[in-house]
Structures are given as C-alpha cells and as structure tokens.
Amino acid sequence: MEGDLGQFLRSRRARIHPADAGLPASGRRRVSGLRREEVALLAGVSVDYYIRLEQERVQNVSDAVLDAVARVLRMDDTERAHLRDLLRPARHASRPVLRPGLSRLLDLADGMPAFVLGPRMDVLAWNALADRVSGFTGVPDGRRNQLLQVFLAPHTRTLYPDWAEVAADTVAYLRLYAGRHPEDPLLAELVAELSADPDFVRLWAEHGVAEKTYGVKRLRHPELGELEFGYETLAVPGQPDLVIVMYTADPASETGRTVARLREEIGSSRELARSARG
C-alpha cells in the first residue's frame, strides 16, 4: 500500500500541468499533472530511483535530491519541511507538559483571548476571555480538540462563517504534525474518529500542509454576535509541539468593544468572588 510519502508526492505531481513545467502536453495522458518519469527527468534522477522514492524504498536521500524534487514539484517552504519529515521520521511525540508559567502568562495576557494548543491541536489551557469567546469549559474533558470541534460538533458549521477555510487549515496543520510524528498512536486514534466525517476524509486525502502562524478568525457567536479577530501563534521555547494562540482586535472595532465589555464583566465577577471570600 502506498504510504504517506508516496501519496504526498503524487498529490504534488497532480497539481502541476506539464506545460507549466516546460514540457509538451501532447498525447493522451492517464494521470493528471506530471508523470513520474517527467519528475525524474526534471529533477536529474533516474526514473527507477524516483519510482522507488515514491514507494518509500530509498534510504538516506541526499539534500540535493530532496531539494531538486521539491523544486520540480514547486513546493513552498512548509511543504519542503514536510517532505523532509516524511523522509526522516526520527522524532517522536513527547508528552506535553504545561508549565505553571504558561498558565500564569495566559492570565497576565487578559486583554485578549489566548489559549495553548498542544499536539494534535488539543486545547490545554486558556484565559477567561478565551473561554467566553470559545466556551472551552463547556466542552467535556477529552473533547477539547480543535479538529473534533470543527468536524464533529454540529454548531461549528454555523459558528464559523468561513467553515470550509477553517476546516482545510486545521487538517493541513494536522498533516504537518503527522509528518513529524508518524508513530504517535493518539494521532491514529484521532484520524480514525475524524474519518466519520466525509469532509475530513476528503481534505486528509489531499495532503495539504500548512503552519498555524497568523491570520483572521471570524465567528458568528450565538451570544456575542459577529466577531472578527486577527490571530498570532507564538512558539513555546523548549516545547516544539506547544503553541500559544492569541486573538487580537482593534479597540475601536465592534469586536474590540465587545472584548472590552467582556473584560469588564470578568473583572467585576472576580471582584464579587473576592468579596464573597473575604
């Protein structure tokens, strides 16, 4: 059975038209995009070597060959990194450790929603504003995973006006993780559960990969109305599988005013709680 490396390379071949690679497109073609022999020709390797590469029967692939194949298949930096991970899957997923300092950092960043994402997009911690916006405490333990929510929680298809884009981005980020940690047993369990959704199956088969760095997140919140945030993703030093996601908004925008109101409500609730204890 063709593995992830072969499927990834085949999916990248399929998106390139021969004419775009400077090759004649004449004659009947049984495959969309480039043929294996055409990739081999353009990359400067033998056809047999490239076939064995797609079949994952080649070891110790040199950086020169890797870069040549990536160039021919017009891979961006993220796809090149994913190709390296698929060829050299030496890393193993570590158990995430949520340092106390990270939780305190979230609380200090109380001006905007912020949360910690762990391996496989599990939500590990959040601040009060993030909870008000995303409702993390209302999700049962073991289900606080962005992929499970996007694909298997019915309300998310109305929560996200750009659901199709959100779905594609989350699957592409999981693909990137899968290339780094192919032996993670929890990953296999997650993919099996998500495969109950046909949209996930389709997107997973496309082998798209993408980092979660920054962008725009629009929400149609049932209580707060229309919200539009920018988001920034910050790496956690020493823990490459953890990231901090922070939502931002212009204070003068409708979303910014909503966040300011929520912040005041949270502050008032905390004051009342302190008064009750004291």
Side-chain angles (χ1 to χ4, degrees), residues 172-238:
Y173 188 65
L174 187 66
R175 265 291 179 197
L176 205 61
Y177 175 84
R180 294 167 180 161
H181 306 296
E183 304 302 322
D184 181 354
L186 295 179
L187 171 67
E189 292 178 11
L190 177 62
V191 170
E193 182 172 3
L194 290 166
S195 295
D197 183 276
D199 288 313
F200 174 82
V201 173
R202 172 180 55 81
L203 290 167
W204 189 246
E206 291 177 2
H207 285 264
V209 290
E211 286 282 9
K212 188 178 182 68
T213 52
Y214 65 92
V216 175
K217 184 74 59 133
R218 296 199 306 133
L219 305 174
R220 188 178 293 118
H221 198 280
E223 297 175 5
L224 304 175
E226 299 283 342
L227 301 172
E228 182 171 322
F229 294 101
Y231 70 83
E232 299 287 339
T233 302
L234 311 176
V236 176

Side-chain angles (χ1 to χ4, degrees), residues 112-115 125-136 245 247 266:
M112 296 303 296
F115 55 95
W126 54 87
N127 65 10
L129 274 173
D131 197 23
R132 291 294 300 273
V133 169
S134 299
F136 293 129
V245 181
Y247 285 176
I266 291 169

Side-chain angles (χ1 to χ4, degrees), residues 57-192:
R57 294 191 293 115
V58 177
Q59 295 181 344
N60 301 320
V61 180
S62 70
D63 287 340
V65 169
L66 187 153
D67 289 339
V69 171
R71 172 183 52 79
V72 170
L73 298 180
R74 301 190 178 187
M75 295 185 187
D76 61 23
D77 290 343
T78 302
E79 291 170 328
R80 286 171 181 257
H82 184 60
L83 177 60
R84 286 187 174 89
D85 288 334
L86 291 173
L87 284 166
R88 302 161 185 170
R91 283 172 284 177
H92 300 283
S94 58
R95 184 179 181 85
V97 177
L98 192 65
R99 302 193 297 262
L102 288 178
S103 296
R104 289 194 290 269
L105 182 61
L106 293 181
D107 290 335
L108 290 171
D110 62 354
M112 296 303 296
F115 55 95
V116 176
L117 275 184
R120 303 167 300 278
M121 302 189 76
D122 291 327
V123 181
L124 303 180
W126 54 87
N127 65 10
L129 274 173
D131 197 23
R132 291 294 300 273
V133 169
S134 299
F136 293 129
T137 56
V139 180
D141 289 344
R143 307 302 293 176
R144 294 189 190 109
N145 175 283
Q146 289 201 322
L147 283 138
L148 292 177
Q149 293 302 302
V150 167
F151 288 97
L152 302 184
H155 74 280
T156 57
R157 301 197 182 225
T158 54
L159 176 65
Y160 297 117
D162 309 310
W163 184 88
E165 181 179 344
V166 171
D169 287 346
T170 53
V171 173
Y173 188 65
L174 187 66
R175 265 291 179 197
L176 205 61
Y177 175 84
R180 294 167 180 161
H181 306 296
E183 304 302 322
D184 181 354
L186 295 179
L187 171 67
E189 292 178 11
L190 177 62
V191 170

Side-chain angles (χ1 to χ4, degrees), residues 16-28:
I16 300 176
H17 193 276
D20 294 334
L23 297 172
S26 58
R28 186 174 181 180

